[in-house]
Amino acid sequence: MADETITIIDNRTGERSDIPIVNGGIDATSWRKALPDVLFTDPALMSTAACESSVTYLDGGEGILRYRGYPIEQLAEHSTYLEVAYLLLHGELPTAEQNEVWIHDITYHTFIHENVRKRFLEGFHYDAHPMGMLVSAVAALSTFYLDAKDIHDPGSRMKQIVRLIAKMPTLAAAAHRFSVGMPFVYPDNSLSFPANFLSMMWKVAEPRFSTHPVLVRALDVLFILHADHEQNCSTTAMRTVGSAHADPYSACAAAAAALYGPRHGGANEAVIKMLNEIGSLDNVDDYIAGVKQGKGRLQGFGHRVYKSYDPRATIIKHVADQVFAVTGKNPLLDIALKLEEVALSDDYFISRRLYPNVDFYSGLIYQAMGFPIEMFPVLFAIPRTAGWMAHWVELLEQDAKIVRPRQLYVGHDKRDYVPVDQRS
Ligand code: CMC
């Protein structure tokens, strides 16, 4: 068998060192021992495996995404979001009995403390962005559950995880209802996870909310597709904060804050804004020409890891067809399809391997279902909570060290303090 090492020769000294390759990665600690004065420079961690993980497998070249070994296509077809959440957290699909207990536990933790809503959420300005409200509300939960600090107790950990997964839709819907001046709707324990969320979003005066089953299933599939995506920006934020042994609510709030950004979970919101800006099929060519000249990016296109296609985007396109058959076609769909067609046949996008990502079509579905665009990143955060928590448990079980990268200092050399009257 070939030697699983890489040899480096320091040409300044002629010194030679053999660095082990561990699980396909170069062990940076051995590198540092061999070359203590030479650090790796990788500001966006593009070539750095920051951890070992067994949660999600992703092959960007081949367009493969698997949770705990199960292909995303199979999970999207046969599973439910709650079952997938269990899989991500426990590593195995639940038995029928485990599933029943899990669904019961989540269902019976959906209520939020009245103070979270009345004192906290209702304290926001009337036009607060619901994602900003969600980020703050999740962080605030840590002050309601003091046992959240028992992060080394597996029982307490699971209790916080159940609370987080269960309360996310309640907080999300509460943020929306507040922003449109509608009264808060309490969770309905007789409904499924996605149906209960839709009830808390849309219920008005009817005794019991009901909607088309295709829409409930579509939301569940979208939740499955967004449940995890290995070491993305928000999960990395969560792992960094989690490595300092912060409680899970604080770590989850940090992850949600990262997700808020338009380069990450805010992209689906940006897609709709872009499609509205384009406005008509006639403007697509000019818009693409502008992107090629550097006037902004084509939102919902490109991915750091997927360089052939995003398998989630393929599934979402089918879901879009099913949803539009119920809701009627989103008028922006034709512009999106033309944009995709033009971009995919243009050398600028082909040569840079830019394809539609998960966010290109998800916003169109959410909009057709009636969600305001400010809710799009919130709709991403609800299911991603399961993934964040699976990684949080993994890092604690690995007894991971606190994340503390190094830097290459490029600032001034030592210089003496200048009193204010002597500064030019
Ligand atoms: N439109 C036009 N050009 C693009 C785009 C785009 N959407 N994305 C990348 N490029 C170009 C970029 O200008 C650069 O060109 P050049 O080599 O001439 O300088 C080249 O492609 C490589 O870009 P990059 O910025 O080095 O790529 P990255 O891996 O750092 O960025 C990305 C990945 C997702 C941030 C980026 O593609 C982007 O900004 N896309 C639009 C926002 C978006 O849709 N984000 C959602 C990502 S999927 C959901 C999630 O998991 O968060």
Side-chain angles (χ1 to χ4, degrees):
M1 201 176 102
D3 191 9
E4 290 290 300
T5 59
I6 288 201
T7 300
I8 47 167
I9 298 169
D10 186 342
N11 291 322
R12 298 167 303 178
T13 59
E15 215 168 293
R16 171 198 157 110
S17 315
D18 294 329
I19 310 293
I21 301 173
V22 182
N23 287 340
I26 296 171
D27 179 10
T29 314
S30 308
W31 175 284
R32 282 217 68 208
K33 279 187 193 141
L35 286 171
D37 61 334
V38 181
L39 295 170
F40 284 85
T41 48
D42 188 12
L45 306 180
M46 289 172 74
S47 308
T48 298
C51 62
E52 288 185 351
S53 180
S54 57
V55 180
T56 288
Y57 174 77
L58 200 165
D59 182 332
E62 297 295 321
I64 296 172
L65 175 62
R66 296 181 198 137
Y67 298 159
R68 301 283 189 186
Y70 294 101
I72 192 68
E73 293 79 5
Q74 291 182 26
L75 293 169
E77 191 174 348
H78 303 294
S79 191
T80 62
Y81 166 66
L82 279 193
E83 190 181 60
V84 163
Y86 185 100
L87 170 70
L88 289 167
L89 287 157
H90 295 270
E92 296 296 337
L93 287 166
T95 61
E97 197 184 326
Q98 287 166 335
N99 203 27
E100 204 179 312
V101 173
W102 174 242
I103 291 170
H104 179 275
D105 282 352
I106 297 289
T107 306
Y108 283 82
H109 283 86
T110 47
F111 276 63
I112 49 175
H113 193 292
E114 282 291 279
N115 280 354
V116 175
R117 178 175 68 86
K118 286 192 184 150
R119 303 273 163 105
F120 199 78
L121 287 175
E122 292 182 1
F124 278 97
H125 200 50
Y126 72 94
D127 59 354
H129 194 292
M131 189 63 175
M133 292 174 73
L134 184 77
V135 169
S136 317
V138 171
L141 284 186
S142 73
T143 64
F144 286 82
Y145 303 111
L146 299 180
D147 55 343
K149 298 215 177 299
D150 300 336
I151 59 166
H152 298 296
D153 171 2
S156 172
R157 280 206 298 252
M158 195 44 75
K159 204 193 232 177
Q160 315 314 324
I161 290 170
V162 166
R163 283 174 173 153
L164 264 165
I165 291 176
K167 293 181 201 310
M168 239 12 191
T170 316
L171 292 172
H176 165 72
R177 303 285 293 205
F178 173 74
S179 69
V180 291
M182 293 284 284
F184 176 68
V185 175
Y186 286 94
D188 181 341
N189 288 353
S190 68
L191 297 174
S192 68
F193 187 85
N196 176 47
F197 175 57
L198 292 175
S199 163
M200 292 188 290
M201 282 291 299
W202 310 129
K203 189 168 178 288
V204 185
E206 65 275 38
R208 190 152 183 266
F209 176 81
S210 79
T211 187
H212 201 292
V214 164
L215 303 185
V216 177
R217 178 62 193 157
L219 189 63
D220 215 23
V221 172
L222 286 162
F223 282 175
I224 291 171
L225 300 182
H226 286 88
D228 194 47
H229 213 227
E230 52 118 293
Q231 308 309 319
N232 55 85
C233 180
S234 56
T235 302
T236 300
M238 190 285 308
R239 283 193 86 106
T240 303
V241 176
S243 79
H245 287 177
D247 66 79
Y249 302 99
S250 303
C252 193
L259 190 71
Y260 196 177
R263 283 176 163 185
H264 190 10
N268 47 17
E269 187 175 344
V271 169
I272 299 295
K273 285 183 179 154
M274 172 187 74
L275 295 174
N276 277 325
E277 190 189 325
I278 295 172
S280 98
L281 290 175
D282 297 339
N283 298 333
V284 167
D285 289 328
D286 282 352
Y287 194 85
I288 295 271
V291 168
K292 286 161 63 176
Q293 286 160 19
K295 294 184 200 152
R297 292 194 164 192
L298 196 52
Q299 298 302 326
F301 257 69
H303 199 275
R304 171 61 58 78
V305 187
Y306 292 120
K307 297 300 174 193
S308 61
Y309 67 96
D310 181 339
R312 302 169 299 173
T314 313
I315 299 168
I316 279 190
K317 244 179 139 172
H318 293 303
V319 176
D321 291 339
Q322 291 158 5
V323 168
F324 297 156
V326 175
T327 61
K329 197 172 76 178
N330 187 323
L332 296 174
L333 177 68
D334 289 336
I335 299 176
L337 287 170
K338 171 99 189 283
L339 207 57
E340 181 183 3
E341 186 192 314
V342 175
L344 292 183
S345 56
D346 189 303
D347 191 53
Y348 175 95
F349 296 91
I350 297 169
S351 62
R352 288 169 179 77
R353 304 175 77 187
L354 300 170
Y355 297 87
N357 59 48
V358 68
D359 288 320
F360 194 65
Y361 285 103
S362 62
L364 289 172
I365 301 177
Y366 292 142
Q367 198 178 43
M369 288 174 78
F371 289 103
I373 57 173
E374 297 75 30
M375 281 298 284
F376 294 1
V378 173
L379 287 157
F380 196 155
I382 292 171
R384 185 54 61 87
T385 304
W388 290 331
M389 288 299 102
H391 289 274
W392 178 67
V393 170
E394 187 175 68
L395 92 98
L396 290 175
E397 286 181 348
Q398 289 170 344
D399 200 14
K401 280 182 175 293
I402 186 167
V403 174
R404 203 307 183 185
R406 302 295 302 275
Q407 65 168 15
L408 300 177
Y409 179 69
V410 294
H412 288 283
D413 272 344
K414 177 178 176 280
R415 49 187 182 155
D416 290 325
Y417 179 79
V418 183
V420 68
D421 56 351
Q422 292 169 30
R423 290 175 211 157
S424 56

